[in-house]
Amino acid sequence: MLLATPLERVFILKDKGQDIRLTDPEPRWSVEAVMNYYANVYPILTTAKVSPPQIKDDAVEYKFESVMGTKG
């Protein structure tokens, strides 16, 4: 018998050259709702975009990428 289990969602934020792994606060929320939830802690998320999901290590990874350019 086949058993289907949902994959865990993981959100990755690249900040100052480091990847920050963010856990899924609520699996029923949309990706945009999760981004708004974490925007209180990481203000860069207010202008970020979400890359298409990738399956890696039995998890679905979403990357939050800043659309702001670097200064200088």
Side-chain angles (χ1 to χ4, degrees), residues 16 44 66-72:
K16 298 177 185 166
I44 196 148
S66 174
V67 294
M68 300 290 287
T70 55
K71 186 176 177 182

Side-chain angles (χ1 to χ4, degrees), residues 15-68:
D15 188 27
K16 298 177 185 166
Q18 293 184 342
D19 285 344
I20 302 170
R21 290 179 63 93
L22 306 171
T23 59
D24 193 355
E26 175 56 58
R28 294 178 290 178
W29 288 357
S30 69
V31 175
E32 289 78 19
V34 172
M35 188 164 55
N36 289 335
Y37 173 79
Y38 280 114
N40 293 325
V41 179
Y42 302 102
I44 196 148
L45 289 176
T46 58
T47 59
K49 66 175 184 145
V50 182
S51 67
Q54 295 182 348
I55 297 175
K56 192 175 190 182
D57 298 328
D58 291 334
V60 180
E61 287 188 356
Y62 294 89
K63 290 190 179 183
F64 296 140
E65 299 174 355
S66 174
V67 294
M68 300 290 287

